[in-house]
Amino acid sequence: MKRFAETTRKKSRIEIIPMIDVMMFLLVFFVLISLNVIPALGLKTKLPSSTSATQENPPKRIIVTLMRDGTVQADGQSLGNLEELTKVINLKKQEYANNYTVVIQGDEAASMQSLIDVMDILKKNNVESMTISAKRKV
């Protein structure tokens, strides 16, 4: 009986690096899909109707900035004095049809007196909605 020479078999290996690449691709794919799909789903509701329903518009913002050197800006325009702030506030009140809020942004080194002066002017001009902005402490 004739025997054939035995061939040495190479041990098979599983390459793991391409498998990791495919798994990372799938992970990124499903994360991106889930981020875009979940907010779009929401709860499906049918709102009831009303004859007196009105659409609420968010108030417009008038931004008053108090600078470190004591100058005041309204919507990015430098004001020479506080009387100009009164004019700007009155113009914006008419432009926004009384649907506005004033946001005061102040430099951390701005004086407290300039803040009080601005608040006095807003009160004299019957501004009903005012906010002081600040950043969150970390």
Side-chain angles (χ1 to χ4, degrees), residues 7 9 16 21 25 27 36 51 54-55 65-66 70 76 79-80 83-85 87-88 90 93 106 110 121 124 134:
T7 58
R9 290 186 149 194
I16 196 146
D21 290 344
F25 175 75
L27 179 70
N36 289 332
T51 57
T54 60
Q55 182 175 355
T65 307
L66 305 175
L79 305 176
E83 284 75 29
E84 289 182 31
L85 179 61
K87 294 175 188 174
V88 170
N90 288 329
K93 280 170 70 172
I121 287 175
K124 286 178 189 174

Side-chain angles (χ1 to χ4, degrees), residues 7-13:
T7 58
T8 58
R9 290 186 149 194
K10 289 185 178 180
K11 196 172 188 179
S12 59
R13 292 180 15 180

Side-chain angles (χ1 to χ4, degrees), residues 22-39:
V22 170
M23 295 304 291
M24 289 300 288
F25 175 75
L26 289 173
L27 179 70
V28 169
F29 176 75
F30 285 116
V31 167
L32 291 177
I33 291 297
S34 67
L35 288 176
N36 289 332
V37 170
I38 290 174

Side-chain angles (χ1 to χ4, degrees), residues 53-66:
T54 60
Q55 182 175 355
E56 292 293 322
N57 295 324
K60 306 284 187 200
R61 286 192 239 165
I62 303 171
I63 299 178
V64 177
T65 307
L66 305 175

